[in-house]
DNA sequence: AACTGGTGGTTCGAATAATGAACCAACTAT
DNA sequence: ATAGTTGGTTCATTATTCGAACCACCAGTT
């Protein structure tokens, strides 16, 4: 990994739970030397990707992010399209829904989500973090529809065990992927976050290559087989809508 | 400038007019060696900041941008707040309005804008580019309310002459800044884009430090003194609203 | 007042990673 | 075939990143 990637990885440590991070905390997280981390943070700050509080000296995500997002969305409004459709999806199924896209071989990056508000108990996965391929419904379904070469590269990296239920056995996983490809959707039960069930359907880009997934997540207690069956058609409709609106963005 | 900053600068070449850029074009723009540029692009791609079209091999802004923007806005919803208020501002004054924030010493980064739709002829500045301090209304008003030390650093870098009307004489500029600080607003006539007049009012962060500006831009033909006077109060109301909503985001 | 442990930040020799001229490979048009 | 594109790679040279040790500051303890 080059210097650039290492620096950019610092940005991925920000989340809802941790919107501001100081130098020492960064050192603690990354394990790198303080001087090194500091130099990287300074360059990110000077480029506008971080904003440093003048008083507390802590860092948070900077204005350059917003600016680039505007450029991105005004030329390829992928996110806007996704948000619209998962809003209606959420209204129909009354559960948390999100759209995530492939981000290299590390996992899926969530670009839109709608938290369910109708239930008292609801899933609160922090979608601001990268979703691993092998432990989430979205990840599994993208793996299933991905090119074999890339699947091999990803599985070669090793399978992190997030919970007791995370599937880390390669043969079973490969069988699971075949089954997912046949059925057209994936289901994951507590592999990433305990008691959370996810159902996901693949998304494709303009060249029919798998680009990501739409998923619904819910507490396992609420997601009976019947409910699941009722959600699936809605998921597929949402996926079609997003696929269609993404075709124009070549 | 370090390697990280050089790589990140590649991202700033994307704009509405140029949403996709290939390797050769990047080499042409930057003047760096092809191998160097390619390595930087690859790292940005692998980190998710660029997406490479599998067919055309051209690069465009990637999903990591959207992800970070979500994290940023869900912890510090600065942009959302800004968008709301400039929408009403736009309805009231019927001209293009935008909010830009300080991005280091290079200029201002626009984080929200509303294009005016009521007039046939309207300003179309590409707000996706960095606004220079000395040549725009937003830039001038932030300079006027910025700390002297930083002002000196910025003016030291030299003043680019964008149009025949760009003010590049230091003494006049400094006098102009004093006058702006007294009046509380700035006005710029065709200094960055010909025939465009801008009026801007400063924004402050939680420590009362100048953080950016709200501005209205219009064709000079339409912006008579009377119209200008009528716009000012609306601008100040908008600035107050944004300032207030930003206070909580320390 | 000195000590302790916590911030953020800097220095400079040593180690490492970025650099760029030359080179492929594929495609298009002449 | 030739010449001019495109994107991408190699490898010896060079310049940059790296990191142990350092400073300055602040808050609470002894």
């Amino acid at each position: 990994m080059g210097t650039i990637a290492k620096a950019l990885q610092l940005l991925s440590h920000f989340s809802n739970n941790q919107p501001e991070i100081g130098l020492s905390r960064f050192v603690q997280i990354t394990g790198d030397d303080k001087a090194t981390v500091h130099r990287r943070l300074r360059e990110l700050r000077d480029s506008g990707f971080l904003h440093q509080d003048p008083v507390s000296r802590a860092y948070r995500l900077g204005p350059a992010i917003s600016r680039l997002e505007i450029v991105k969305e005004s030329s390829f409004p992928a996110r806007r399209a996704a948000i619209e459709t998962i809003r209606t999806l959420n209204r129909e199924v009354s559960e948390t829904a999100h759209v995530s896209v492939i981000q290299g071989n590390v996992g899926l990056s969530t670009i839109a989500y709608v938290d369910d508000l109708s239930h008292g108990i609801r899933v609160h996965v922090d979608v601001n973090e990268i979703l691993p391929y092998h432990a989430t419904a979205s990840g599994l379904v993208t793996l299933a529809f991905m090119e074999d070469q890339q699947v091999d590269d990803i599985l070669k990296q090793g399978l992190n065990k997030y919970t007791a239920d995370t599937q880390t056995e390669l043969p079973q996983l490969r069988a699971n992927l075949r089954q997912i490809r046949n059925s057209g959707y994936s289901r994951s039960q507590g592999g990433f976050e305990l008691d959370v069930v996810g159902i996901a359907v693949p998304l494709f880009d303009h060249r029919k290559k798998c680009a990501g997934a739409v998923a619904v997540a819910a507490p396992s207690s609420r997601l009976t087989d019947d409910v699941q069956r009722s959600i699936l058609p809605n998921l597929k409709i949402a996926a079609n809508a997003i696929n269609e609106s993404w075709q124009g963005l070549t």
Side-chain angles (χ1 to χ4, degrees), chain A residues 12-21 25 29 59 126:
Chain A
S12 67
H13 289 108
F14 290 99
S15 70
N16 282 348
N17 312 326
Q18 207 172 36
E20 270 189 321
I21 309 181
R25 178 90 184 101
I29 296 171
Y59 301 87
D126 191 347

Side-chain angles (χ1 to χ4, degrees), chain A residues 97-168:
Chain A
H98 59 95
V99 173
S100 308
V101 297
I102 292 176
Q103 183 169 325
N105 288 349
V106 283
L108 296 173
S109 181
T110 302
I111 61 163
Y113 67 92
V114 183
D115 269 339
D116 172 53
L117 299 173
S118 59
H119 295 94
I121 301 165
R122 61 178 134 142
V123 175
H124 191 60
V125 204
D126 191 347
V127 284
N128 299 143
E129 57 194 334
I130 303 267
L131 304 175
Y133 281 115
H134 67 287
T136 61
S138 299
L140 287 169
V141 82
T142 46
L143 273 184
F145 287 90
M146 205 182 268
E147 281 169 9
D148 293 349
Q149 179 56 54
Q150 200 181 350
V151 176
D152 293 342
D153 288 347
I154 291 166
L155 297 182
K156 208 182 298 169
Q157 298 172 347
L159 305 175
N160 222 324
K161 198 162 179 73
Y162 296 96
T163 73
D165 294 353
T166 309
Q167 196 169 53
T168 53

Side-chain angles (χ1 to χ4, degrees), chain A residues 3 6-7 10 23 26-27 30-44:
Chain A
T3 315
K6 281 184 241 162
L10 290 175
L23 173 58
F26 265 122
V27 171
T30 61
D32 293 319
D33 187 88
K34 188 165 47 163
T36 306
V37 175
H38 180 252
R39 242 179 301 101
R40 299 209 260 244
L41 289 172
R42 191 175 48 206
E43 282 206 74
L44 288 170

Side-chain angles (χ1 to χ4, degrees), chain A residues 43-113:
Chain A
E43 282 206 74
L44 288 170
R45 164 167 57 75
D46 292 345
S47 306
F49 284 75
L50 287 177
H51 169 83
Q52 186 171 29
D53 189 295
V55 187
S56 75
R57 313 253 72 194
Y59 301 87
R60 64 165 100 145
L61 294 170
I65 313 261
S66 299
R67 215 193 95 252
L68 292 175
E69 173 66 6
I70 291 174
V71 177
K72 180 167 140 66
E73 277 298 309
S74 59
S75 43
F76 302 100
R79 195 176 141 212
R80 180 194 309 218
I83 291 174
E84 292 302 325
T85 51
I86 61 167
R87 259 200 207 124
T88 64
L89 175 62
N90 166 257
R91 269 197 299 273
E92 285 160 355
V93 305
S94 297
E95 294 291 354
T96 296
H98 59 95
V99 173
S100 308
V101 297
I102 292 176
Q103 183 169 325
N105 288 349
V106 283
L108 296 173
S109 181
T110 302
I111 61 163
Y113 67 92

